Every structure is written in structure tokens, then in C-alpha cells.
Amino acid sequence: MELSARRTPSAEKSTLAVDWQRCVALAKQGAAQGVKAWFAASEVRGGNVNGAVGHLTPGSLQSRGFFRQSMWTVMAAGGLHDLISAAFADAVWESWQAWFAGYEIMLDYPSLAAVECAMAPLAANKPLQFSAGKSSAHDRMSSAQLAAVIEKKLLSLAAEPGAYEACCQVSDWLSACFSRWHSTVLLMKVMASGPVPSYAPPHTMCGPVVGGVLSSPRPVLADLGLFDPEK
């Protein structure tokens, strides 16, 4: 989004001298490292499967890659004020986490429609575009929303010359990277298994999975090299 299309904040000016372009570079570096760590630890824990249909429910796509602290460390180690480091790190982490916590998608498991045993063995989903799913917090990774959250967390520092432009540069970059990733990556190797209650030989020799669960190895998602801080 063009900078001119956004409203310039009217907050009380701070006397803290800030190199905002250095802030942009460090924020990109910290965010890039953070999201890559998040992807490396990504997994599915939750959701359900009935017959051939799996539902990856909100909250089931998770990661142990909590990167708020690591992003803050990169920025603070680069000499930025704690408040600035925290504002960018908190805003990026909260927005990222909210988007993925709200994500859900329907998955296809053809082999689980008719299983010839009492407990179905693990089956992988048919690969599909990640973008086929949706997030209830879809706007949280938009450039405008990211910039607004960062700006709010900067408090009075948002009125510093160059601060607003820095918010926009970081949010434009991250939102563009996320959009490219979102439209490119495939969701695969989400495993499903569960009981087959109708299986009752010799009368009923097969049946669908009912009340099965989803899981995955780590990582279930890849960053695809699309979060380059130089882009």
C-alpha cells in the first residue's frame, strides 16, 4: 500500500533520536529469522477426520517457534531502544500467531472411506494448496493492519520523523513475503487415523473412520526461501 494512502499519526513528539532505516533493516532481519524458525517447528496437533474428509480446525496448526523474543533480541542487539524493539517484535509476533491460530482447511483422505480393520493405519492427506484454507484473522497479515499495530505500540515514538515510514516499509515487506508464500506453498503429510466402529467381521468387513484425529511430523510447512530480508 502506498505511504500516501495512510494517515500520518498525530502523537506527541519524542526527543529520542532514532535511525529508522536501521530499524527497518533490523526488523526485517529479526522477522525473517523468526518466521523461518516458526516454520521449522510447525506441526499439526488436532482437527478431526470422518470417512474421507478431514478438518484441520482452528488452533490445530501450531509451532514451538515462539519468535517474539528472538526478534526483539536481534533489534536490541543492533542498538535500538527497547521500546522500539518490543513494538516491532510484539506486533509481528501477535499478528503472525493470530493468523495461524485462526486457520482451517478441509483435507481429503480417500483411503479412510472404507477401511478393512478396526483401527485405520496412518494415512497422508492428498496434497493441496495451502491457500485453499482460510483464517478467521485473515486481515492480521495485511500491510495496513501490521503498520497500524506497530504504530500503536510505538506510542509517542510514532510521531518521530521517519517512524511512520519505517512501520510501512516493514509491514509492506512482510505482508508481500507472506502473500507470495501463502499462494505458493502446498499442505501435505498431514496424517490421519482413527477407529472404524462399523467394522464387524464376518458380517461387515470394512467401514469409514469415525472420530479420527490429525497429526503431522515437523515441519509440516516450509518457508520456501520467500522471507528474504533483502527483498
Side-chain angles (χ1 to χ4, degrees), residues 23-37:
C23 174
V24 169
L26 289 169
K28 288 182 178 181
Q29 179 186 341
Q33 292 179 10
V35 300
K36 288 178 182 180

Side-chain angles (χ1 to χ4, degrees), residues 44-230:
V44 170
R45 290 290 178 267
N48 57 72
V49 60
N50 290 284
V53 181
H55 183 198
L56 195 158
T57 53
S60 300
L61 181 54
Q62 307 169 10
S63 175
R64 298 178 183 180
F66 177 82
F67 64 79
R68 184 268 176 199
Q69 183 63 38
S70 64
M71 183 175 172
W72 180 91
T73 300
V74 168
M75 298 185 70
L80 294 176
H81 190 277
D82 284 356
L83 189 153
I84 296 172
S85 301
F88 280 84
D90 287 351
V92 170
W93 167 251
E94 290 169 8
S95 299
W96 184 272
Q97 183 72 356
W99 196 99
F100 281 96
Y103 180 79
E104 63 179 318
I105 192 172
M106 306 305 292
L107 302 172
D108 192 10
Y109 296 91
S111 66
L112 300 186
V115 181
E116 298 178 350
C117 57
M119 177 63 71
L122 283 171
N125 70 296
K126 289 182 66 175
L128 80 167
Q129 291 287 332
F130 186 82
S131 58
K134 62 182 180 180
S135 173
S136 59
H138 64 90
D139 60 334
R140 293 297 299 271
M141 289 304 296
S142 71
S143 182
Q145 282 279 1
L146 278 167
V149 175
I150 298 170
E151 178 189 354
K152 182 177 180 180
K153 290 181 178 292
L154 282 172
L155 304 176
S156 62
L157 289 176
E160 285 287 310
Y164 187 61
E165 289 76 7
C167 294
C168 294
Q169 288 176 41
V170 173
S171 61
D172 285 348
W173 165 78
L174 184 56
S175 183
C177 290
F178 181 81
S179 180
R180 287 193 297 269
W181 173 86
H182 180 264
S183 64
T184 304
V185 74
L186 292 176
L187 183 60
M188 60 181 74
K189 296 182 180 179
V190 179
M191 311 304 292
S193 181
V196 184
S198 61
Y199 177 75
H203 305 292
T204 306
M205 299 303 296
C206 71
V209 166
V210 176
V213 295
L214 305 181
S215 63
S216 78
R218 292 193 297 266
V220 71
L221 294 172
D223 67 85
L224 303 180
L226 295 177
F227 291 85
D228 185 345
E230 301 302 320

